[in-house]
Amino acid sequence: MKKILILFSAIGLISLTGCNNDDDVAVVPANQVVENEVFQVGPVNFAYDSSINMYSLIYDLNPQILPADMILVYRRTVDPGANNAPVWQLIPRTIHNGADEIDYDFNFDQGTILFTVDANYDLQETPTYINNQIFRVVILPGYDSSARFDYSNYDAVVKKFNIKESDIKVLK
């Protein structure tokens, strides 16, 4: 009986290890141009939206993105240790300032991006977190299979997807 159980276990193990998802095929419509894109939004000021009880900003995507596309959003900040060099931080992001917390986030659909910022205190006390904000939006085609890639490093993302600084559109 033990030998049969071991045999079934071995067969089950072999059959399960043979499965993977590496054979997925993405179909892109013939009339669609598929490319990576980066654009910069800002500097912009957030406005308080009482309907969602936080500061927000809506950006319209023109043209709209495809349903399977992925969006990454990075917020510009500075590195005081490197002569205030610009640093791009992936959002969602929580900034801790002592006991205070500031949360940057976003939602998107095919036609719009909703940027939000919220805090556990009144953000009007620190307007630097809601005024003159600059974001970089990276649109990646839905067919990309780089699921194991670390998207938190903006410089690595633009290098991986061959995006040049000169290609970045600055929008307000």
Side-chain angles (χ1 to χ4, degrees), residues 37-111:
E37 182 181 355
V38 178
F39 60 89
Q40 183 169 303
V41 177
V44 292
N45 297 332
F46 283 86
Y48 186 76
D49 185 342
S50 60
S51 67
I52 58 174
N53 200 26
M54 64 179 66
Y55 288 83
S56 69
L57 171 72
I58 295 177
Y59 180 80
D60 292 322
L61 294 169
N62 187 12
Q64 292 188 348
I65 62 173
L66 297 173
D69 286 350
M70 180 172 75
I71 289 186
L72 303 171
V73 177
Y74 298 86
R75 178 181 163 265
R76 183 179 179 196
T77 186
V78 294
D79 181 358
N83 295 325
N84 293 326
V87 176
W88 296 100
Q89 296 177 332
L90 182 65
I91 63 174
R93 174 84 176 181
T94 299
I95 298 170
H96 299 278
N97 186 10
D100 295 334
E101 290 185 355
I102 302 101
D103 296 311
Y104 289 92
D105 205 349
F106 74 100
N107 289 315
F108 72 96
D109 58 26
Q110 283 183 264

Side-chain angles (χ1 to χ4, degrees), residues 14-26:
I14 290 170
S15 66
L16 290 176
T17 57
C19 297
N20 67 37
N21 281 337
D22 294 340
D23 58 353
D24 294 344
V25 177

Side-chain angles (χ1 to χ4, degrees), residues 1 5 39 48 51 58 72 87 91 112 120 127-128 155 163 166:
M1 187 67 162
L5 184 59
F39 60 89
Y48 186 76
S51 67
I58 295 177
L72 303 171
V87 176
I91 63 174
T112 59
N120 62 354
T128 57
D155 294 324
I163 299 168
S166 60

